């Protein structure tokens, strides 16, 4: 497996991984799949400033990605980033998430502009919770019934790590 900076040639694979979760899971609370034009805007907001976007490539295909994005728009939040890690369904439970998490946190630690990494996890995603705890993230609280997907209200759990 190779962890590398995501490239424009990865766009469709990254979009497919994300849209799978939109349509089948609750790791994102987006309800409608993104299109390529929307995903290009998202892509262009990464690998600039303290917002890296990394891809995991295995056997010639993108198996997952990790990104650090704006946490909030207000200037005082610039040193805080929000972490996202998404893995293709066929590549889960193969160490891809762990490798991406290790690499993206190393990027955060190297960047003096980054102080805190925040992760918002939909309640019940125990694999994600275990991954975050393994890397030292601290539970910061639950917001109850904040989103509705697949006909039910979902809670989110907030985690943070000072790098």
């Amino acid at each position: 497996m190779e962890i590398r900076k995501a490239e424009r040639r990865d766009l469709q694979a990254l979009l497919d991984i994300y849209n799978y979760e939109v349509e089948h899971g609750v790791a994102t609370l987006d309800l409608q799949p993104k299109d390529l034009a929307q995903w290009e805007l998202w892509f262009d907001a990464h690998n600039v400033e303290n917002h890296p976007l990394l891809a995991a490539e295995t056997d010639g295909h993108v198996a997952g990605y990790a990104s650090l994005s704006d946490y909030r728009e207000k200037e005082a939040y610039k040193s805080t980033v929000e972490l996202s890690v998404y893995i293709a369904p066929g590549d889960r439970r193969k160490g891809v998430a762990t490798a991406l998490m290790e690499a993206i946190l190393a990027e955060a630690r190297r960047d003096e502009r980054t102080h805190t990494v925040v992760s918002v996890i939909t309640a019940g995603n125990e694999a994600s919770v275990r991954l975050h705890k393994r890397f030292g993230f601290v539970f910061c609280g639950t917001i109850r019934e904040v989103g509705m997907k697949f006909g039910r209200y979902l809670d989110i759990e907030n985690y943070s790590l000072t790098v």
Side-chain angles (χ1 to χ4, degrees), residues 2-163:
E2 177 189 4
I3 305 296
R4 58 173 173 73
K5 179 179 170 181
E7 300 171 6
R8 195 157 292 278
R9 68 182 167 100
D10 301 321
L11 264 175
Q12 188 62 56
L14 302 176
L15 178 61
D16 292 345
I17 291 168
Y18 185 78
N19 278 342
Y20 179 88
E21 198 60 33
V22 170
E23 295 175 327
H24 302 284
V26 294
T28 178
L29 296 185
D30 269 332
L31 300 177
Q32 300 299 317
K34 301 291 185 187
D35 63 30
L36 197 53
Q38 292 169 310
W39 210 239
E40 286 174 338
L41 292 173
W42 171 84
F43 182 89
D44 290 341
H46 291 88
N47 289 327
V48 295
E49 297 183 7
N50 61 340
H51 301 122
L53 170 60
L54 303 177
E57 186 173 331
T58 181
D59 299 325
H61 74 278
V62 176
Y65 70 88
S67 64
L68 298 178
S69 306
D70 281 336
Y71 173 64
R72 297 284 185 267
E73 289 183 22
K74 294 181 174 51
E75 254 181 84
Y77 291 118
K78 282 294 185 197
S79 64
T80 299
V81 292
E82 185 171 344
L83 168 69
S84 296
V85 178
Y86 287 91
I87 309 302
D91 291 292
R92 294 177 183 170
R93 300 187 160 285
K94 295 180 179 177
V96 178
T98 298
L100 281 166
M101 182 75 96
E102 189 172 89
I104 202 80
L105 291 178
E107 292 280 331
R109 287 183 176 103
R110 277 193 294 271
D111 193 322
E112 63 187 31
R113 296 169 291 190
T114 301
H115 180 71
T116 301
V117 178
V118 172
S119 198
V120 179
I121 301 171
T122 305
N125 187 343
E126 294 307 316
S128 186
V129 168
R130 281 192 307 275
L131 178 68
H132 284 75
K133 286 184 176 179
R134 189 172 340 131
F135 281 91
F137 280 77
V138 176
F139 176 71
C140 300
T142 300
I143 301 176
R144 305 262 179 231
E145 299 183 354
V146 71
M148 180 180 272
K149 191 169 182 180
F150 303 131
R152 62 187 171 111
Y153 281 104
L154 299 167
D155 301 344
I156 57 170
E157 298 175 343
N158 295 284
Y159 286 80
S160 71
L161 176 70
T162 301
V163 294

